[in-house]
Amino acid sequence: MQQKSKLFLQALKYSIPRLGKCVQKQHLNHYNFADHCYNRIKLKKCHLTKCLQDKPTISELARNIPSRSFSCKDFLPIKQENKDSLSENMDAFEKVRTKLETQPQEEYEIINAEVKHGGFVYYQEGCCLVRSKDEEDNDNYEVLFNLEELKLDQPFIDCIRVAPDEKYVAAKIRTEDSEASTCIVVKLSDQPVMEASFPNVSSFEWVKDEEEEDVLFYTFQRNLRCHDVYRATFGDNKRNERFYTEKDPSYFVFLYLTKDSRFLTINIMNKTTSEVWLIDGLSPWDPPVLIQKRIHGVLYYVEHRDDELYILTNVGEPTEFKLMRTAADSPAIMNWDLFFTMKRNTKVVDLDMFKDHCVLFLKHSNLLYVNVIGLADDSVRSLKLPPWACGFIMDTNSDPKNCPFQLCSPIRPPKYYTYKFAEGKLFEETGHEDPITKTSRVLRLEAKSKDGKSVPMTIFHKTDSEDLQKKPLLVHVYGAYGMDLKMNFRPERRVLVDDGWILAYCHVRGGGELGLQWHADGRLTKKLNGLADLEACIKTLHGQGFSQPSLTALTAFSAGGVLVGALCNSNPELLRAVTLEAPFLDVLNTMMDTTLPLTLEELEEWGNPSSDEKHKNYIKRYCPYQNIKPQHYPSIHITAYENDERVPLKGIVNYTDKLKEAIMEHAKDTGEGYQAPNVVLDIQPGGNHVIEDSHKKITAQIKFLYEELGLDSTSVFENLKKYLKF
């Protein structure tokens, strides 16, 4: 059995419009939750001597100012000491460059999407789709398809699916600078050949019909909307036909094959409501069966085992996720029986189904757990995972005896764990212990918001740090769509901690860290709760001796820009600098423009200001663009993408222009000697939404933070080179 995407994570990734592609080397599809990987990912640590002749050096990257970047420095007076500081930094970069180019380096690499099927592993090697008998034998593989034939700029494989009998393999190909994708189908033979290609494919799965013929089901995406399902066959009986069309523009359609391959599910959902149809994996040409007609506010996702459906749903009280089950031949909601309930303040991260067990991956009170449910005797074993762990990486597998997964944190690379059902124990990967476990600390604190709500925070800093009040602090926030903050391993975050920074992750309302209600309490006309939470978190950090406003920076991407922009308007004195990537800053005008591809899908999160005056007036209270005023602001670095369809560039440019005008007006009123903040808008080419692994972006943001906080950046760039390929 080939590896499959996990049910709940896949459902989440297709339901979040303002989360785009984030990592080239991770398997991330259309709507991405960036800190989860939906195909198998492994982290390699290796030593190599880099040849940098054809690539920019680290100093060149650090100094590179794109032609379309601009700053308030262009029109406001600057103190001479800042220029001197900049010159010193450039000298430091040059000193580091020579040393870095002549010594072996250590790096972490996240491997592309790969799947196991039969006796083969399918994956990307260089610019080719390949397969091999031994996943560790990188020198012995068979080339199935050369991606260069597609004539794309730096293509990569985003997702792989192998037909049940291995006659065909399908792969979705994308590029870093676009969300457009192409699905290729390769016929596996002595001389593999591309059988077909389909543009703009979002999700796809194989099933086999009664005649032993492979059938590929796939969804077609147009203008970021996915409403059509197709099915195709190949060989002598080629056909390609539209199978289903969703007519409600606020819904999105994706496909999921149950773990046992018994059913293909058509999942139709928006932010708060879902509907699932079953296609019989043994008779894929038969009409699909509806499980339960959509009911507003009811979400549900389906797995299958032994003629029973296991349904993860929020139906009933409390309106948090719970596990139910019913016979596969009587799937309607009146037949659902409660099987397992979660504790309060619990986030269901994922679910995996095995022959005799169901495994739930949970986050409870900001700590990770695995619950193993015995399906034969309904026993439950709850395992509390190591306190350093902040996120799961699911290792999709077909081994019925073991449940492998990885744990990670922003500063610690993934580590393998395996739960063995026979022993009833959790085993961890042995070997070299990462030194970060001894050189850093992870703390879990809480802040009290204005209404008394406790807001969880996760803090990282060096163990031997003295006088934390004098250390720089980088605060992370998101707070939208019921999604957790990204807490996957990021090499640049580790480098910052090694260089003395404090990292703080604020799990504010609007996110999903404490379950569905945590999201509900931070959306629509409760968005200001997230802003109050963020303010309380930063004040609590300062009050408990973690840094100070002059050394505090705030960072966010996409919809997280709403809370960051709002805080810059309401409490700018809490911050010294801000970095944003593809930020959503003009909520009101964006949500009133129904011609944009995502406006209708977004109504459940932000409201409908076009038809609801209450929503319109509420959005005006927090919308970053609407509330800019002449005052002192922190320095801001914004990375935007020229053809971003999710967060239109126009809104970001308008925000930047209005902010500059407000800063100029404030500078004029303040008089001579006022040190105006810098506002840098870095517009990158391409049509992607967020490019997490862009070394150019990472270097520019870190350089900006060090300059604005007046820090020596020599060691940070030297250490950064150990982890990133430049």
Side-chain angles (χ1 to χ4, degrees):
M1 184 187 298
Q2 79 177 76
Q3 296 182 9
K4 308 226 174 33
S5 296
K6 297 296 185 182
L7 167 65
F8 192 53
L9 286 181
Q10 185 159 342
L12 287 174
K13 76 175 175 180
Y14 284 117
S15 66
I16 310 303
R18 297 204 187 276
L19 287 176
K21 176 189 177 287
C22 298
V23 187
Q24 173 176 343
K25 293 197 171 185
Q26 292 183 8
H27 162 59
L28 294 170
N29 283 345
H30 170 61
Y31 293 151
N32 297 284
F33 180 28
D35 60 329
H36 292 96
C37 308
Y38 306 98
N39 273 324
R40 185 173 181 274
I41 294 177
K42 60 184 177 182
L43 208 65
K44 284 189 174 179
K45 189 176 181 182
C46 56
H47 295 273
L48 69 163
T49 301
K50 302 287 293 177
C51 174
L52 300 181
Q53 293 179 351
D54 298 324
K55 299 179 181 180
T57 65
I58 194 165
S59 56
E60 290 169 343
L61 284 167
R63 292 182 296 173
N64 182 32
I65 305 297
S67 59
R68 296 195 62 189
S69 293
F70 49 89
S71 168
C72 280
K73 290 181 178 179
D74 296 334
F75 55 85
L76 291 173
I78 308 174
K79 292 183 180 180
Q80 185 65 38
E81 60 186 28
N82 284 352
K83 292 182 179 179
D84 294 340
S85 174
L86 179 61
S87 176
E88 291 172 2
N89 275 330
M90 294 302 101
D91 292 340
F93 297 150
E94 290 296 339
K95 292 176 182 177
V96 171
R97 177 181 63 82
T98 303
K99 182 178 180 182
L100 292 176
E101 291 181 350
T102 58
Q103 66 181 11
Q105 297 297 333
E106 176 185 77
E107 76 174 23
Y108 289 91
E109 180 182 6
I110 299 179
I111 304 303
N112 285 336
E114 63 177 48
V115 297
K116 293 180 181 178
H117 188 101
F120 290 97
V121 180
Y122 295 77
Y123 57 97
Q124 181 176 345
E125 181 68 32
C127 60
C128 296
L129 169 64
V130 304
R131 68 175 177 178
S132 66
K133 286 282 189 181
D134 183 355
E135 63 178 305
E136 300 301 330
D137 186 0
N138 295 327
D139 297 324
N140 185 18
Y141 54 79
E142 176 188 6
V143 175
L144 305 177
F145 181 75
N146 190 333
L147 305 186
E148 292 180 348
E149 293 183 27
L150 299 176
K151 300 187 183 304
L152 300 173
D153 182 26
Q154 296 183 330
F156 67 94
I157 296 176
D158 190 53
C159 183
I160 300 171
R161 293 288 184 268
V162 184
D165 57 2
E166 287 191 277
K167 290 181 181 178
Y168 300 96
V169 59
K172 187 167 74 169
I173 316 299
R174 295 183 58 186
T175 64
E176 187 172 284
D177 62 356
S178 174
E179 292 201 44
S181 63
T182 299
C183 180
I184 61 167
V185 177
V186 177
K187 184 177 182 179
L188 300 175
S189 59
D190 292 338
Q191 293 183 326
V193 61
M194 186 174 74
E195 183 83 6
S197 67
F198 305 106
N200 302 316
V201 170
S202 181
S203 59
F204 57 104
E205 298 285 357
W206 290 99
V207 296
K208 182 186 291 187
D209 66 13
E210 304 92 324
E211 305 298 325
E212 299 295 306
E213 186 173 38
D214 294 311
V215 185
L216 180 69
F217 285 79
Y218 66 92
T219 55
F220 178 77
Q221 179 177 308
R222 183 187 295 110
N223 295 327
L224 301 182
R225 296 173 180 172
C226 198
H227 294 153
D228 296 321
V229 181
Y230 287 77
R231 57 187 172 191
T233 57
F234 310 95
D236 296 333
N237 186 27
K238 284 188 177 180
R239 54 180 153 176
N240 185 30
E241 62 186 25
R242 186 167 60 180
F243 173 69
Y244 174 87
T245 296
E246 172 57 39
K247 296 182 179 180
D248 188 330
S250 69
Y251 282 77
F252 189 91
V253 182
F254 72 93
L255 304 175
Y256 171 74
L257 191 63
T258 59
K259 181 76 177 288
D260 59 4
S261 299
R262 183 63 179 82
F263 291 102
L264 176 67
T265 63
I266 301 176
N267 299 267
I268 307 156
M269 64 184 301
N270 63 16
K271 300 294 182 304
T272 61
T273 306
S274 62
E275 176 179 287
V276 181
W277 293 75
L278 292 180
I279 296 175
D280 192 331
L282 303 177
S283 304
W285 302 103
D286 290 349
V289 174
L290 175 64
I291 292 183
Q292 173 57 47
K293 184 178 180 180
R294 63 194 73 172
I295 302 172
H296 181 72
V298 174
L299 293 164
Y300 70 97
Y301 312 96
V302 179
E303 256 293 0
H304 175 266
R305 169 193 171 271
D306 286 353
D307 296 325
E308 287 188 316
L309 300 178
Y310 287 80
I311 302 169
L312 193 64
T313 179
N314 68 334
V315 69
E317 294 294 335
T319 55
E320 298 289 348
F321 279 115
K322 51 193 72 71
L323 190 60
M324 295 185 164
R325 63 182 172 186
T326 185
D329 58 3
S330 55
I333 194 169
M334 71 280 296
N335 300 314
W336 297 0
D337 292 325
L338 183 63
F339 180 59
F340 184 78
T341 58
M342 318 297 167
K343 296 179 181 178
R344 288 179 56 86
N345 297 329
T346 297
K347 165 72 176 280
V348 180
V349 178
D350 205 357
L351 174 153
D352 199 2
M353 188 66 66
F354 295 84
K355 182 178 182 299
D356 298 314
H357 298 85
C358 175
V359 181
L360 291 168
F361 299 87
L362 308 172
K363 179 180 288 187
H364 174 67
S365 297
N366 207 23
L367 292 170
L368 300 186
Y369 292 80
V370 167
N371 279 11
V372 182
I373 305 174
L375 300 178
D377 56 6
D378 293 350
S379 62
V380 179
R381 181 165 188 188
S382 183
L383 303 172
K384 185 177 181 180
L385 299 175
W388 64 263
C390 300
F392 293 101
I393 297 177
M394 302 308 162
D395 192 50
T396 51
N397 84 108
S398 57
D399 182 357
K401 298 179 181 179
N402 302 311
C403 177
F405 57 91
Q406 298 176 68
L407 297 177
C408 65
S409 85
I411 64 171
R412 179 168 175 167
K415 183 174 184 178
Y416 272 100
Y417 288 78
T418 300
Y419 185 84
K420 297 187 177 183
F421 297 117
E423 290 89 340
K425 295 179 181 180
L426 183 67
F427 295 84
E428 66 177 306
E429 176 187 28
T430 59
H432 175 69
E433 187 68 22
D434 196 300
I436 198 72
T437 59
K438 295 182 179 180
T439 61
S440 68
R441 293 184 64 193
V442 55
L443 305 173
R444 285 178 168 82
L445 306 178
E446 289 185 345
K448 286 290 185 183
S449 196
K450 292 179 180 179
D451 60 0
K453 280 285 185 180
S454 296
V455 184
M457 298 182 288
T458 308
I459 318 296
F460 303 90
H461 68 82
K462 286 183 70 174
T463 304
D464 59 359
S465 289
E466 297 179 359
D467 199 357
L468 290 173
Q469 193 171 17
K470 295 182 179 179
K471 299 296 182 182
L473 167 66
L474 183 61
V475 179
H476 299 71
V477 71
Y478 187 67
Y481 304 118
M483 302 304 298
D484 296 5
L485 260 174
K486 293 192 302 178
M487 299 193 72
N488 55 317
F489 173 64
R490 295 301 314 158
E492 65 272 22
R493 302 306 185 214
R494 174 164 180 157
V495 168
L496 291 178
V497 169
D498 286 341
D499 204 43
W501 283 70
I502 305 165
L503 303 185
Y505 290 77
C506 303
H507 309 294
V508 303
R509 280 174 284 185
E513 286 86 348
L514 298 184
L516 296 177
Q517 190 60 47
W518 197 248
H519 171 220
D521 287 343
R523 68 181 183 95
L524 295 175
T525 55
K526 296 183 179 180
K527 266 295 172 190
L528 285 169
N529 285 340
L531 177 60
D533 292 351
L534 177 59
E535 178 184 334
C537 286
I538 296 176
K539 288 182 176 179
T540 298
L541 289 166
H542 292 163
Q544 294 193 16
F546 294 98
S547 195
Q548 54 188 287
S550 62
L551 291 172
T552 298
L554 179 57
T555 186
F557 79 101
S558 194
V562 173
L563 296 184
V564 174
L567 186 70
C568 289
N569 288 329
S570 64
N571 290 92
E573 70 280 356
L574 294 177
L575 308 168
R576 178 65 184 87
V578 167
T579 65
L580 297 170
E581 185 174 5
F584 189 29
L585 296 166
D586 191 359
V587 182
L588 183 61
N589 289 323
T590 299
M591 292 307 299
M592 293 187 72
D593 186 352
T594 56
T595 65
L596 295 174
L598 297 178
T599 297
L600 295 178
E601 293 184 34
E602 299 277 74
L603 296 179
E604 294 283 353
E605 180 70 22
W606 309 101
N608 189 349
S610 296
S611 62
D612 190 319
E613 196 67 22
K614 179 182 178 181
H615 286 170
K616 183 177 181 179
N617 292 332
Y618 191 85
I619 291 173
K620 283 182 177 180
R621 293 172 59 187
Y622 68 80
C623 175
Y625 176 77
Q626 298 292 327
N627 290 281
I628 293 173
K629 53 182 175 284
Q631 64 175 11
H632 181 74
Y633 278 88
S635 291
I636 300 178
H637 183 286
I638 300 175
T639 304
Y641 299 94
E642 195 167 26
N643 299 313
D644 190 339
E645 295 181 87
R646 301 176 186 280
V647 178
L649 180 61
K650 178 183 177 182
I652 297 175
V653 172
N654 289 343
Y655 171 87
T656 306
D657 290 343
K658 186 174 181 180
L659 182 62
K660 286 181 175 181
E661 292 175 2
I663 290 172
M664 290 181 66
E665 184 176 346
H666 180 66
K668 182 179 178 181
D669 294 341
T670 305
E672 294 184 6
Y674 173 67
Q675 181 63 45
N678 297 307
V679 179
V680 179
L681 175 57
D682 180 6
I683 301 176
Q684 296 290 326
N688 263 321
H689 181 49
V690 176
I691 306 177
E692 190 173 14
D693 267 352
S694 168
H695 301 158
K696 183 178 179 181
K697 177 206 72 177
I698 291 170
T699 306
Q701 290 179 344
I702 290 179
K703 173 177 174 287
F704 173 82
L705 291 175
Y706 271 76
E707 288 181 0
E708 292 300 328
L709 273 61
L711 305 174
D712 180 6
S713 58
T714 305
S715 61
V716 71
F717 281 100
E718 182 173 356
N719 290 332
L720 189 62
K721 179 61 174 64
K722 295 179 181 179
Y723 300 103
L724 300 179
K725 287 182 176 180
F726 285 95

